[in-house]
Amino acid sequence: MPRENFGPDHVFLAKEEILSYEEMASVVASLLPLGLSKVRITGGEPLLRRDIHIFIGLLRDLDENLDIALTTNGVLLERHAETLFKNGLNRITVSLDALDSELFQSITDSKNTPHEIFKGIDFAQSIGLPVKVNCVIKKGVNESQIVPLTKACVERNIAVRFIEFMDVGTTNNWNLESVVSGKDMRTLLRNHFGPLEPIPAEHPSDVARLWRLVNGSTVGFIESVTKPSCGNCSRARLSAHGSIYTCLFSEQGFDLRGVLRFGANEQQIAEIIRDIWTHRDDRYSELRHQLKDSRQPVEMSFIGG
Ligand SMILES: C[S@@+](CC[C@H](N)C(=O)[O-])C[C@H]1O[C@@H](n2cnc3c(N)ncnc32)[C@H](O)[C@@H]1O
């Protein structure tokens, strides 16, 4: 959780308020018959949750074809990669916003280094766990990192995706001036690497649009601010305390924990989620400029990206 999201009086959730691994797995199980094919574990920092590999194993036991991904800051990756992989994790996304150590430490508010993060990434790749790198670019902060990060990832054969800085939550001091557009990022890359060629999307719901560098490597861009595409979004988010959110920018979720603990079976849970999903009308990214500043959307550290 970023420092600005909690003060000295912050009250953490009690253990019983958080969904157990079994409860989370039963939500996933209930969605499989409705066509769920992909689950991403995020946070907060998922590798801080004790025995996270057991949860991966529970998910894998539900369906051998389920695509299971995890997003992490990478600090504990080297320690956990092997057990996660053995228990059925398909892939990892590592957030890395700078290659320069000082800048990395100031962005992450930590004493970690990009070198440590790359050790985890290299180890994960060496055991066969595919890795992608996500990098959020903020104007005046880390545009300088676009070219070096691309080089470092291309050298390692890692897919890198640059993300436009988004206004999730209320505490990240977002304004439109702090956004570097995907278009401007590509101009920087073009000046360094030569022409870029767009690659057609495989699925409309893919959030990243891929471009090919002249050497054949690909770079992705997540342009949710300048190119919102709410109609194609197929992501429902389940919070640690058991609410379903139908949009990254939601102010409120729908409580599932009560239903789960009241003894609902998987078919009943599926019906409830189907109802929530078919009635959703979120189009925040498309309506961002018309909506009021008084909105209180949940924080990124809560909803997980
Ligand atoms: C909130 S993090 C949580 C998971 C994990 N702790 C990590 O660091 O990757 C999930 C993703 O959200 C992205 N993210 C965080 N703040 C963002 C913002 N304001 N705009 C766009 N993406 C953001 C991060 O780059 C990361 O890939």
Side-chain angles (χ1 to χ4, degrees):
M1 201 191 293
R3 205 178 287 272
E4 58 272 20
N5 287 179
F6 68 100
D9 302 330
H10 184 81
V11 183
F12 285 91
L13 290 173
K15 188 160 184 236
E16 56 279 10
E17 291 179 74
I18 296 172
L19 291 191
S20 67
Y21 288 152
E22 287 73 16
E23 286 172 324
M24 289 194 277
S26 78
V27 175
V28 172
S30 72
L31 290 172
L32 291 173
L34 299 185
L36 178 77
S37 58
K38 183 165 153 187
V39 172
R40 174 174 299 280
I41 295 131
T42 172
E45 173 48 44
L47 299 188
L48 284 174
R49 182 116 175 211
R50 190 179 301 161
D51 297 330
I52 184 79
H53 62 282
I54 293 180
F55 178 49
I56 304 288
L58 287 178
L59 294 181
R60 179 52 66 222
D61 289 346
L62 295 176
D63 181 349
E64 63 179 36
N65 296 317
L66 184 67
D67 180 14
I68 310 174
L70 181 144
T71 304
T72 172
N73 61 25
V75 175
L76 299 174
L77 183 56
E78 195 177 7
R79 195 184 303 171
H80 292 292
E82 198 153 11
T83 40
L84 291 170
F85 190 44
K86 280 190 181 147
N87 277 265
L89 186 69
N90 292 107
R91 52 209 176 82
I92 290 265
T93 301
V94 176
S95 305
L96 183 60
D97 294 343
L99 201 57
D100 175 85
S101 278
E102 234 173 87
L103 188 53
F104 177 87
Q105 290 178 345
S106 112
I107 294 173
T108 56
D109 189 10
S110 77
K111 299 242 179 321
N112 300 112
T113 63
H115 177 73
E116 288 163 0
I117 308 302
F118 270 118
K119 262 182 85 187
I121 291 175
D122 291 343
F123 178 67
Q125 282 201 312
S126 75
I127 60 170
L129 187 54
V131 179
K132 281 182 187 155
V133 163
N134 268 2
C135 176
V136 180
I137 298 296
K138 196 172 168 186
K139 191 169 277 176
V141 177
N142 63 343
E143 300 109 304
S144 63
Q145 303 300 293
I146 296 177
V147 168
L149 259 172
T150 303
K151 271 192 200 156
C153 290
V154 163
E155 265 168 26
R156 293 173 156 85
N157 210 10
I158 302 169
V160 59
R161 292 146 8 136
F162 292 102
I163 307 178
E164 291 178 350
F165 181 50
M166 289 189 279
D167 47 341
V168 185
T170 55
T171 56
N172 72 0
N173 292 324
W174 185 90
N175 58 47
L176 200 51
E177 281 73 58
S178 52
V179 178
V180 180
S181 68
K183 188 165 175 254
D184 287 349
M185 298 185 211
R186 285 190 290 277
T187 302
L188 272 171
L189 286 174
R190 234 177 245 120
N191 291 343
H192 192 88
F193 295 99
L196 292 179
E197 183 201 347
I199 303 173
E202 270 181 39
H203 306 286
S205 61
D206 290 348
V207 284
R209 292 286 175 257
L210 300 183
W211 291 66
R212 189 173 285 113
L213 301 177
V214 260
N215 69 4
S217 314
T218 56
V219 181
F221 299 88
I222 300 178
E223 299 167 81
S224 322
V225 179
T226 61
K227 291 189 185 159
S229 175
C230 299
N232 293 326
C233 176
S234 61
R235 294 180 170 201
R237 296 170 167 87
L238 178 66
S239 70
H241 70 354
S243 289
I244 287 271
Y245 293 80
T246 54
C247 177
L248 178 59
F249 302 92
S250 293
E251 296 181 272
Q252 258 179 350
F254 298 83
D255 176 53
L256 270 194
R257 189 181 63 191
V259 188
L260 279 164
R261 295 191 180 168
F262 201 65
N265 62 30
E266 281 165 13
Q267 207 180 334
Q268 289 164 324
I269 298 168
E271 277 314 312
I272 292 167
I273 299 176
R274 187 207 293 272
D275 195 47
I276 294 169
W277 191 252
T278 47
H279 286 96
R280 80 195 202 281
D281 59 0
D282 320 90
R283 285 173 56 218
Y284 176 80
S285 286
E286 289 174 355
L287 302 176
R288 141 177 307 119
H289 303 297
Q290 302 160 32
L291 294 171
K292 292 199 194 86
D293 288 344
S294 56
R295 291 181 81 257
Q296 289 289 315
V298 292
E299 296 300 329
M300 183 62 109
S301 57
F302 174 86
I303 201 163

